[in-house]
Amino acid sequence: MREQIADALKGQDADYIEVRIEEREASRILYRGRELEDIGRSTSRGGNVRALVKGGWGFVSFNELSGLRDKVALAVKQAHLVGRGRAREFEKGKEESRLAPVAPVVDIVAPQIRKDPSIVPLAQKKGLLDEYNELIWSTTKIQTSVIAYGDSKKRVIFANSEGCYIEQTRVDLSTRIVVIAREDGDVQQVALSVGSGGDFGFIEGLHQEVKDAAQRAVALLTALQVKGGEYTAVLDPVLAGVFAHEAFGHLSESDFVYENDRLKDIMVLGRRFGGEHLNIVDGAAIPGLRGSYKYDDEGVPATRTYLIKDGILAGRLHSRETAAKMGEKPTGNARAIDYRHPPIVRMTNTFIEPPRQVGVSFNEMIGDIKEGVYVKNWYGGMTSMEMFTFSAGEAYMIRNGKIEELLRPVVLTGNVFSTLENIDAIGDDLAMNEGGGCGKGGQMPLPVSNGSPHIRIRKCLVGGR
Amino acid sequence: MENILSLARKVAEEAEVFLVSSKETPVGFEANRLKMLETRETISVSLRIVKDGRIGFSSTTRLDDPQALVDMAVESAQFGALARFTLPAAQCYPQIEVYDPEVEGIAIEDMVEIGDSLIARVRGHTPELVCGGGVTRSVGMVNILNSRGGEASYRKSFFAIGIEGTLIRDTDMLFVGEMDSSCHPIREFKPLADSVIRQLEMAKHPASLSSGRLPVLLTPKGVRSAFFAPLALAFNGKTALEGASPLVGREGQLLFDERLSLWDDATIDYCPASRPCDDEGVPSQRTSLIEKGVVTNFLYDLQTAAMAGSRSTGSANRARGGMPTPSVSALVVEEGDSTFEEMVRDMKEGLVIEMLIGAEQGNVLGGEFSGNILLGYKVENGEIVGRVKDTMVSGNIYDTLKELVAIGREAKWVGNSLRTPALYLSRLAVASKG
């Protein structure tokens, strides 16, 4: 493949060209209720070419690998068309292609696997899910359940016109279990999501969690909905991780900022967003997590980046293009979900660090709350950059310093310019959640992880009756 | 395809081959100008078999090894679900137009021109607006072949234009946008531009709101962001079969406002969600879901219908060549008789909502929604006075749609899969930052 790509790149007229070829094997099991609905394996193969001319990109994706040279030529031709248009807008036609310099790497990266899902027989995977389903169905008032398991092994070859050649193999697996309870016309659900970058062990031993989820779904039938308004909210590490991802992570992705002067003014390094105790980090270089890798999809080595340090905007996530335009260093955050898409700036493993001084214990956090909410686990989260929402899979009222009754699922919202400042307590109990997938620009779900210790947010807006 | 089918028939009682291919050409704009041209070619083939009474399934993008595809399907049939359906035999399909050869003839340069003009017109109104967007054309081909002699194939064209604008003042961000799609080329960009300009006008001034219960007018886009996901799920035959839909067992009952009618329709000419047959080769149809407030039907594919003792509504879909599963083609809400202005004028204090975020991330199955108003306006004494922010609205669609104040008389497409008028709701819980 290496020679084939090198041949295809030879003599092409562009400022920069890259080729990605991807081979993927996957297996999946889907239960709906007691019925096994789908089980099996699939394979796919495809690739793409991306070319840059005078700041304009051409991109060609395909399943058929033959005729690679023509595909490169087509991407180059498209890039010329864009580049020409862009150059015209500038005096003297001098639009330039700028990519932050990166030393070309030649490397072959084996997957980091603890328990390889691809050698676990399909029957054994099914057996495990059967055990979970039995636990669910032995709970009364359960109407139905959905269990979706998937794993994949993907080998990606990346080469560019600067001499970079990288082969990376990555494994990803995930399981989502949804329990649905019903009484008359009322339907309630509880979901459990786990994932891993290469350890089938993560899927095993979830029996207690599954049992709890089933019981909680039934309990929700008699739970009340919270009254809408502002509350002091205490977030568990899972939901606080989703909060970090939605509240600040997405705004740190420079492709949203790099060509918008007004945003650049707002997102100026050194701006204060939160208290001294607040530190938010993203990085694929942190090993062993679902968003970890050695090189991103532009062949840039992974890093670890402080987005917020001591409450102050300290860094952001870059592709080579956004880094060059903003005069900063590339961070290795250009990722593509598969060969059908060009890489865009994405998060990897995002988390709030425990404070440098001793963190606040959970009991202290809830101790002086007269009326508040304790929110745990996640349903989802969304952001418009300024305003964001994150929804809790599990919520309780806090009254006079005590955790009280279970509430129906709660959606919380915030504004990046006030909510981060309103975090007034951070614990020491950092935990990572690897069950989520992130969506952006039609590329979803991208494997990421996020985490945090318990945190407390004052004046958090909660939707409700 | 014939080759795969004959290999599969050697080892299985029934077999069905599904092949889908497409060529898509998106033209992308970023920061007010052209940024990327793309060509995306995809092909995938999937095989469903019935072996020893059980379903086996496999798929691949590699056409070079049909035997591997058959082997994977056989492996999966060992554990597969019991097959309850019969594959459709050869038949005639309704004449539904979804291909316009003109789409392929649109030059890239013309697409660039459309995008440039769209952005220029909107920025003519608000020069500080930073716009992105895209113009896309594509042509796709679907082929289905099965062991009962069933055979279907059709070609579909698609054209879409979209724009999103970001306006930043101090730390205030405003997001506006519109998109439109069709099987015909869309050269007329002005309606789209003018709709974005209207959003900018209505959002010009900030307005504050107190928490409480307020009347809410959902624009067609607002209807989509609050109601589409719960409705699509509730009328899915699979959700119904499992008893997880709040509507199951309540067919024939008046559960919604008597003026509300809703159907699913894959037969409208030149609509991107239309097609002569579904992804199992069952002819497309219009299926009534709510008739004057009464629940009438659910959407089924072959297997789900057989299990429910019903018949397929031609609703089988395969996301990228996967296993067929029932889903919505295009939901259509019947128009009412009120104009937008009349409904706004009727509100003493209320809200007009264009877009919520997070509304689909709660207990969608139970019909609960709770979202932050990304784009919405406050109404005072019958007039839109400005944009509201940092505000949550919450409710349950089954309570909310029981009694509507009014239904708009002008329906609009929102994306490919919903056509709806504005809906005027009596009261929703509103929580606003104090």
Side-chain angles (χ1 to χ4, degrees):
Chain A
M1 205 67 226
R2 190 173 176 182
E3 276 173 27
Q4 216 177 310
I5 296 172
D7 279 347
L9 293 178
K10 225 172 263 168
Q12 304 272 11
D13 173 28
D15 300 335
Y16 170 83
I17 310 173
E18 68 188 22
V19 175
R20 255 187 310 142
I21 307 288
E22 187 180 301
E23 271 176 5
R24 184 173 182 270
E25 279 173 42
S27 71
R28 65 193 188 276
I29 304 172
L30 175 66
Y31 270 98
R32 300 210 39 141
R34 288 176 185 277
E35 273 293 312
L36 178 67
E37 179 166 285
D38 186 15
I39 183 166
R41 294 185 297 141
S42 64
T43 58
S44 68
R45 185 172 67 183
N48 68 57
V49 181
R50 195 166 65 132
L52 180 64
V53 174
K54 291 192 193 333
W57 290 99
F59 179 84
V60 173
S61 72
F62 43 85
N63 289 117
E64 180 55 56
L65 302 190
S66 63
L68 189 59
R69 200 177 159 76
D70 294 341
K71 283 159 180 149
V72 174
L74 177 60
V76 170
K77 188 180 143 203
Q78 291 180 340
H80 272 280
L81 235 124
V82 182
R84 207 167 57 219
R86 291 170 71 91
R88 218 183 293 134
E89 290 174 29
F90 285 74
E91 292 166 65
K92 300 171 202 139
K94 264 198 188 154
E95 170 86 332
E96 281 173 36
S97 296
R98 279 187 294 172
L99 294 178
V102 175
V105 177
V106 175
D107 197 359
I108 291 175
V109 185
Q112 301 287 317
I113 301 175
R114 233 165 288 154
K115 184 166 181 184
D116 189 350
S118 69
I119 57 170
V120 179
L122 215 47
Q124 191 181 327
K125 291 172 184 167
K126 177 182 171 292
L128 181 64
L129 302 188
D130 284 339
E131 287 173 28
Y132 295 153
N133 221 6
E134 271 316 305
L135 284 174
I136 294 170
W137 284 91
S138 62
T139 311
T140 51
K141 286 191 190 165
I142 291 299
Q143 180 68 40
T144 189
S145 60
V146 179
I147 303 182
Y149 167 87
D151 63 48
S152 67
K153 185 182 264 185
K154 190 159 93 170
R155 186 168 80 110
V156 181
I157 297 172
F158 174 87
N160 69 22
S161 53
E162 295 168 349
C164 186
Y165 181 87
I166 300 169
E167 285 183 36
Q168 281 189 104
T169 304
R170 292 185 63 199
V171 171
D172 188 68
L173 60 134
S174 66
T175 298
R176 186 166 171 83
I177 300 174
V178 185
V179 188
I180 295 152
R182 175 176 174 158
E183 201 162 39
D184 304 322
D186 187 19
V187 177
Q188 293 294 322
Q189 52 179 332
V190 170
L192 184 70
S193 291
V194 288
S196 164
D199 187 359
F200 186 75
F202 268 72
I203 312 293
E204 298 171 313
L206 297 174
H207 302 79
Q208 192 55 47
E209 280 101 322
V210 172
K211 224 173 174 171
D212 292 347
Q215 279 161 4
R216 205 162 58 245
V218 175
L220 281 175
L221 289 169
T222 50
L224 285 178
Q225 208 189 356
V226 71
K227 192 170 180 335
E230 283 185 322
Y231 290 89
T232 298
V234 174
L235 280 60
D236 83 328
V238 173
L239 190 63
V242 173
F243 168 82
H245 177 103
E246 299 298 344
F248 205 75
H250 278 294
L251 197 56
S252 303
E253 295 166 342
S254 304
D255 52 349
F256 183 62
V257 181
Y258 80 116
E259 293 202 302
N260 191 325
D261 291 335
R262 281 168 189 265
L263 253 181
K264 277 195 252 181
D265 292 343
I266 296 175
M267 294 302 289
V268 66
L269 298 182
R271 184 187 181 113
R272 179 163 290 283
F273 275 89
E276 294 267 331
H277 61 166
L278 184 65
N279 292 284
I280 305 181
V281 176
D282 180 276
I286 300 153
L289 292 170
R290 203 152 166 235
S292 309
Y293 48 77
K294 193 168 176 190
Y295 304 100
D296 75 358
D297 288 317
E298 295 185 312
V300 178
T303 61
R304 176 192 165 106
T305 308
Y306 270 99
L307 308 179
I308 289 186
K309 195 164 191 187
D310 303 329
I312 284 168
L313 180 62
R316 50 184 137 242
L317 308 179
H318 281 299
S319 64
R320 290 184 65 186
E321 185 180 27
T322 63
K325 284 254 170 76
M326 295 186 78
E328 295 171 7
K329 282 210 177 93
T331 56
N333 285 83
R335 305 178 66 188
I337 195 154
D338 61 36
Y339 60 88
R340 294 181 188 91
H341 300 275
I344 54 177
V345 181
R346 301 300 292 261
M347 280 175 264
T348 58
N349 307 303
T350 314
F351 57 94
I352 297 174
E353 281 188 334
R356 234 148 290 166
Q357 280 80 34
V358 182
V360 181
S361 75
F362 180 67
N363 285 335
E364 283 174 83
M365 247 184 236
I366 62 166
D368 65 347
I369 299 176
K370 265 200 139 133
E371 192 186 53
V373 288
Y374 178 39
V375 279
K376 297 175 73 177
N377 291 322
W378 64 277
Y379 251 124
M382 264 184 110
T383 184
S384 75
M385 302 301 170
E386 182 196 3
M387 293 185 285
F388 52 87
T389 63
F390 51 107
S391 50
E394 191 179 345
Y396 303 88
M397 280 309 292
I398 303 173
R399 281 203 193 82
N400 301 316
K402 288 208 176 70
I403 305 289
E404 300 278 358
E405 75 273 18
L406 177 72
L407 294 167
R408 293 211 162 172
V410 162
V411 183
L412 305 97
T413 191
N415 185 307
V416 67
F417 298 108
S418 58
T419 308
L420 291 179
E421 269 172 26
N422 288 341
I423 298 176
D424 72 343
I426 301 175
D428 281 321
D429 48 349
L430 170 66
M432 297 301 289
N433 160 36
E434 303 191 74
C438 172
K440 176 180 171 185
Q443 299 192 42
M444 186 185 169
L446 189 75
V448 295
S449 75
N450 40 57
S452 171
H454 272 89
I455 63 170
R456 182 172 64 198
I457 308 173
R458 297 285 181 188
K459 291 202 271 184
C460 191
L461 188 60
V462 173
R465 75 192 141 86
Chain B
M1 280 179 83
E2 289 80 4
N3 185 20
I4 297 169
L5 190 66
S6 68
L7 282 173
R9 291 197 69 170
K10 282 183 197 156
V11 292
E13 300 104 78
E14 301 286 351
E16 170 201 55
V17 184
F18 179 84
L19 189 130
V20 57
S21 62
S22 72
K23 183 174 178 178
E24 192 185 354
T25 313
V27 173
F29 292 81
E30 194 179 283
N32 305 323
R33 53 194 180 132
L34 182 60
K35 177 73 179 178
M36 185 180 289
L37 289 183
E38 298 182 45
T39 306
R40 298 181 186 178
E41 282 187 80
T42 62
I43 186 159
S44 82
V45 58
S46 51
L47 172 67
R48 182 165 59 159
I49 59 169
V50 179
K51 183 173 165 61
D52 303 326
R54 292 186 178 274
I55 301 172
F57 181 81
S58 62
S59 70
T60 183
T61 61
R62 304 178 61 155
L63 304 183
D64 55 353
D65 194 356
Q67 191 57 52
L69 189 68
V70 173
D71 293 345
M72 282 194 298
V74 169
E75 180 196 45
S76 110
Q78 287 172 52
F79 310 102
L82 287 173
R84 270 106 166 178
F85 59 89
T86 313
L87 291 167
Q91 61 193 297
C92 289
Y93 291 108
Q95 183 74 19
I96 296 162
E97 303 296 340
V98 288
Y99 177 71
D100 180 348
E102 258 194 63
V103 166
E104 281 178 281
I106 302 261
I108 301 266
E109 288 80 357
D110 293 341
M111 292 166 68
V112 173
E113 175 70 35
I114 293 168
D116 274 335
S117 312
L118 175 60
I119 291 173
R121 187 171 172 94
V122 173
R123 293 189 73 227
H125 177 271
T126 305
E128 318 95 275
L129 194 70
V130 178
C131 293
V135 180
T136 296
R137 67 160 146 77
S138 79
V139 173
M141 186 83 205
V142 171
N143 292 283
I144 306 167
L145 196 64
N146 72 41
S147 52
R148 291 192 173 253
E151 196 174 352
S153 89
Y154 63 91
R155 189 186 296 270
K156 190 192 274 194
S157 56
F158 176 74
F159 197 91
I161 59 176
I163 179 170
E164 55 217 35
T166 312
L167 183 64
I168 295 172
R169 287 179 175 146
D170 298 322
T171 58
D172 174 59
M173 300 184 195
L174 170 67
F175 298 90
V176 289
E178 276 295 344
M179 66 98 63
D180 192 14
S181 61
S182 172
C183 297
H184 289 306
I186 303 169
R187 292 196 179 83
E188 190 48 78
F189 59 86
K190 284 191 186 109
L192 214 62
D194 293 345
S195 167
V196 176
I197 290 169
R198 257 196 313 280
Q199 293 171 4
L200 287 165
E201 278 293 324
M202 290 192 285
K204 217 167 200 170
H205 307 286
S208 66
L209 206 66
S210 47
S211 298
R213 294 179 69 79
L214 289 177
V216 170
L217 176 57
L218 294 176
T219 66
K221 277 170 81 175
V223 172
R224 166 142 194 131
S225 62
F227 295 160
F228 182 80
L231 287 175
L233 206 53
F235 284 102
N236 188 315
K238 204 155 255 183
T239 322
L241 177 67
E242 290 158 356
S245 167
L247 302 179
V248 75
R250 303 168 88 181
E251 298 93 319
Q253 293 180 24
L254 182 72
L255 296 183
F256 299 98
D257 189 289
E258 279 181 81
R259 290 163 293 175
L260 190 70
S261 289
L262 171 77
W263 58 87
D264 186 59
D265 199 346
T267 68
I268 309 166
D269 282 346
Y270 296 106
C271 280
S274 294
R275 51 193 186 176
C277 66
D278 75 356
D279 289 349
E280 293 178 312
V282 175
S284 290
Q285 64 178 54
R286 169 177 155 158
T287 308
S288 166
L289 303 174
I290 302 173
E291 179 76 42
K292 296 194 186 342
V294 175
V295 177
T296 47
N297 275 302
F298 296 96
L299 299 172
Y300 293 109
D301 62 2
L302 289 170
Q303 171 85 350
T304 314
M307 290 169 75
S310 185
R311 43 183 287 276
S312 170
T313 52
S315 303
N317 272 291
R318 307 179 187 241
R320 232 179 243 160
M323 266 276 252
T325 185
S327 76
V328 160
S329 298
L331 287 183
V332 181
V333 180
E334 190 171 50
E335 286 134 335
D337 49 18
S338 302
T339 66
F340 184 77
E341 290 71 24
E342 281 166 4
M343 293 187 281
V344 171
R345 229 178 295 134
D346 185 64
M347 280 191 249
K348 190 165 164 21
E349 188 189 8
L351 276 170
V352 174
I353 296 177
E354 292 253 27
M355 180 80 183
L356 293 173
I357 57 168
E360 299 180 352
Q361 298 188 321
N363 179 17
V364 177
L365 207 48
E368 288 163 17
F369 64 91
S370 186
N372 175 319
I373 303 175
L374 183 60
L375 184 60
Y377 322 106
K378 187 187 185 187
V379 178
E380 273 176 28
N381 300 318
E383 286 196 28
I384 288 176
V385 292
R387 178 189 180 206
V388 291
K389 278 178 63 176
D390 298 313
T391 301
M392 295 285 278
V393 291
S394 309
N396 183 298
I397 67 160
Y398 301 108
D399 297 335
T400 307
L401 293 179
K402 224 174 251 167
E403 211 170 322
L404 292 164
V405 183
I407 299 176
R409 74 173 182 207
E410 192 194 347
K412 268 190 172 168
W413 282 101
V414 191
N416 301 333
S417 46
L418 178 69
R419 182 179 160 82
T420 180
L423 297 180
Y424 182 7
L425 318 176
S426 61
R427 305 250 154 218
L428 284 187
V430 177
S432 202
K433 198 101 187 150

